[in-house]
Amino acid sequence: MSQGSDGGHDSRVGGNFTSAGGSDGAENDRNRRSNDNLAPGEHDGSGGQPDTYLLYQRGLSLLERGSAAAAAQLLERAAAAEPQSRSVLEALARAQFDAGWYSAAAGNFRRIVEASPSDDYAQFGLGLALPRTSDPGAAAEHLALAAAMRPNLRHYTDALRSVRATLSARNRLREERQD
């Protein structure tokens, strides 16, 4: 996951999360091991389940290559094995978002926000996913929080401006219909 020169997360508003940044821990995790070539069904040698970290690495690799649905499948397995891992949940939410599974992505971003309300990136991700589940009002709240936490990140403020414009246009239409 790339990070901007200001330490913030790189991302595209309204696009996908394949170039989006995540937690600093994920970048460090990625550098700990280089063997991300475990084939489906292979195991880590412990006689049990595939190594969670390898699932995570393979999922990130697939996500970065644009295979969001395949990445989500691996990351769901990693999340089942490590349900408290914010790095895994974030990667899973990103993959779900990119695959168009917005409700699932919102649910996983929400889990991160509930555990860590000061996670600006999770607030941002939740704010991007919610309008796609027909909840732009809630999206504006999360995007406003993300933008308040990191006002120097233009993609946060751009996303907030876009959602607010959508809400404003809907309100105008509602008022016109009442007249």
Side-chain angles (χ1 to χ4, degrees):
M1 291 185 265
S2 62
Q3 295 226 342
S5 60
D6 63 352
H9 306 289
D10 291 337
S11 166
R12 292 182 293 230
V13 175
N16 61 37
F17 279 102
T18 55
S19 66
S23 64
D24 294 336
E27 185 68 34
N28 294 334
D29 286 347
R30 207 184 303 163
N31 295 325
R32 270 192 273 157
R33 279 168 81 175
S34 60
N35 181 11
D36 63 353
N37 298 319
L38 187 66
E42 284 188 65
H43 300 279
D44 63 359
S46 65
Q49 299 297 315
D51 181 78
T52 303
Y53 183 76
L54 292 176
L55 290 171
Y56 171 73
Q57 285 295 296
R58 289 191 66 235
L60 284 179
S61 178
L62 286 166
L63 183 60
E64 290 169 1
R65 291 190 313 233
S67 297
Q73 289 180 347
L74 290 179
L75 293 165
E76 283 172 353
R77 290 173 50 200
E82 295 288 337
Q84 300 306 314
S85 171
R86 284 180 26 198
S87 294
V88 171
L89 275 179
E90 180 182 290
L92 174 57
R94 289 175 47 218
Q96 290 168 327
F97 184 94
D98 285 0
W101 305 335
Y102 303 119
S103 292
N108 283 312
F109 278 125
R110 183 173 282 112
R111 285 178 58 193
I112 298 168
V113 166
E114 288 170 356
S116 181
S118 63
D119 186 326
D120 63 284
Y121 187 75
Q123 295 280 1
F124 174 68
L126 182 54
L128 288 182
L130 286 172
R132 291 163 173 85
T133 65
S134 300
D135 197 353
E141 293 175 28
H142 292 284
L143 290 169
L145 286 169
M149 286 185 242
R150 299 291 299 274
N152 57 321
L153 295 182
R154 184 173 177 184
H155 53 276
Y156 284 15
T157 55
D158 287 349
L160 176 59
R161 192 174 303 114
S162 176
V163 167
R164 285 182 173 164
T166 297
L167 289 170
S168 179
R170 285 185 181 183
N171 287 336
R172 279 193 306 274
L173 279 173
R174 206 176 352 257
E175 290 170 2
E176 289 173 8
R177 288 180 183 158
Q178 290 176 355
D179 291 341

